């Protein structure tokens, strides 16, 4: 089945630095990828929709200058947490849906392994 | 748009107990329905799915039946194991290439 690979799985960075998280679709082309944030013991919170070749669409309340998204190819989207602070510490997950003959209307989503970001 | 309501946990069961996690949905038309599982420290994995009414999805001993009459997709397992401890999410799509709509998740803990 389709695979989405996310790296790194875990990162610790100093406050004020930037961290880049990569999300790759390994055996299918993903024109759209989705980035989520998950707080401990909570559900997924959609942050943004990443569109290949165009600007990302951010959910209300998500700072686009803080969370930079680039989707330069059909298989790679990146999320950069800029000037990270301890409150940015969280679990970040990417996702993509594969196209079937009828588009994505009824296809499942595939998820990366997640990235645990800790800002110290 | 479509929406899903899922039984909130946490749920704690003894090994070999019967599991039911309720999920009901509101949707236009008859979209596919999904159950995802998230093990500690990992992303989400598709557990099972059903693509039309009366379909039964099954995997790893888990089952869920697409009930159009009651707009439900309850997850069941006859005998849970400690290794089933995880968070379970019910989900369905909206139209187009949009993210799936998820329930809030149900945390299951199985004790030996």
């Amino acid at each position: 089945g389709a695979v989405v690979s996310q790296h790194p799985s875990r990162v610790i960075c100093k406050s004020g630095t930037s961290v880049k998280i990569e999300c790759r679709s390994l055996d299918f082309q993903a024109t759209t990828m989705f980035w989520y944030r998950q707080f401990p013991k909570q559900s997924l919170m959609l942050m943004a929709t990443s569109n290949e070749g165009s600007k990302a669409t951010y959910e209300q309340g998500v700072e686009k200058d803080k969370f930079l998204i680039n989707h330069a190819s059909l298989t790679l989207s990146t999320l950069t947490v800029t000037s990270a602070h301890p409150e940015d510490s969280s679990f970040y997950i990417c996702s993509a849906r594969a196209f079937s003959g009828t588009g994505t209307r009824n296809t499942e989503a595939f998820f990366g392994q997640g990235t645990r970001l800790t800002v110290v | 748009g479509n929406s899903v309501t899922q039984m909130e946990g946490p749920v704690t069961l003894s090994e070999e107990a019967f599991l039911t996690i309720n999920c009901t949905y509101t949707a236009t038309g008859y979209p596919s329905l999904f159950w995802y599982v998230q093990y500690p420290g990992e992303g989400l994995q598709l557990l099972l799915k059903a693509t039309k009414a009366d379909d039964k999805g099954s995997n790893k001993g888990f089952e869920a039946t697409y009930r159009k009459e009651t707009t439900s997709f309850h997850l069941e397992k006859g005998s849970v194991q400690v290794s089933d401890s995880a968070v379970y999410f019910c989900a369905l799509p909206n139209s187009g290439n949009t993210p799936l709509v998820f329930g809030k998740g149900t945390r299951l803990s199985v004790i030996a």
Side-chain angles (χ1 to χ4, degrees):
Chain A
V3 177
V4 172
S5 179
Q6 184 176 343
H7 293 280
S9 58
R10 191 179 294 268
V11 59
I12 300 173
C13 71
K14 291 185 177 180
S15 189
T17 62
S18 295
V19 173
K20 180 184 285 188
I21 302 170
E22 291 189 347
C23 181
R24 294 180 184 274
S25 56
L26 297 186
D27 53 359
F28 67 102
Q29 293 182 335
T31 57
T32 303
M33 290 186 178
F34 308 103
W35 287 96
Y36 296 85
R37 182 172 180 176
Q38 188 177 34
F39 292 99
K41 298 188 177 182
Q42 294 191 22
S43 187
L44 303 173
M45 182 190 80
L46 180 67
M47 298 175 65
T49 299
S50 169
N51 302 298
E52 187 268 336
S54 65
K55 291 182 179 180
T57 304
Y58 290 83
E59 296 299 302
Q60 192 171 9
V62 177
E63 298 176 59
K64 59 182 68 175
D65 295 330
K66 158 70 80 174
F67 299 101
L68 298 180
I69 291 174
N70 183 277
H71 195 151
S73 78
L74 287 171
T75 59
L76 175 64
S77 176
T78 61
L79 168 68
T80 301
V81 183
T82 62
S83 186
H85 291 285
E87 58 265 30
D88 299 323
S89 298
S90 195
F91 193 59
Y92 294 88
I93 310 174
C94 68
S95 171
R97 295 176 69 190
F99 279 93
S100 69
T102 57
T104 55
R105 184 167 56 88
N106 276 315
T107 59
E108 61 263 43
F110 300 95
F111 287 83
Q113 302 92 322
T115 298
R116 170 73 58 195
L117 170 63
T118 303
V119 185
V120 297
Chain B
N2 297 340
S3 65
V4 60
T5 301
Q6 178 179 348
M7 179 178 107
E8 293 191 37
V11 174
T12 302
L13 295 174
S14 298
E15 210 166 20
E16 300 183 3
F18 184 85
L19 168 71
T20 300
I21 300 177
N22 290 337
C23 172
T24 57
Y25 66 90
T26 303
T28 303
Y30 302 104
S32 293
L33 301 175
F34 309 103
W35 275 101
Y36 282 82
V37 59
Q38 185 180 28
Y39 298 103
E42 298 183 12
L44 276 68
Q45 302 174 28
L46 179 66
L47 178 61
L48 55 84
K49 67 179 181 180
T51 58
K52 60 183 187 296
D54 298 326
D55 261 7
K56 178 186 284 187
S58 61
N59 185 27
K60 300 181 180 180
F62 291 88
E63 294 182 340
T65 301
Y66 193 137
R67 301 284 187 200
K68 183 177 62 174
E69 304 80 12
T70 54
T71 61
S72 64
F73 192 55
H74 305 322
L75 182 68
E76 297 181 336
K77 186 172 185 181
S79 176
V80 294
Q81 305 301 311
V82 172
S83 57
D84 294 326
S85 298
V87 181
Y88 293 83
F89 293 92
C90 186
L92 76 167
N94 268 320
S95 59
N97 195 0
T98 55
L100 296 184
V101 177
F102 286 93
K104 293 187 176 182
T106 302
R107 182 173 300 274
L108 171 66
S109 296
V110 181
I111 54 178

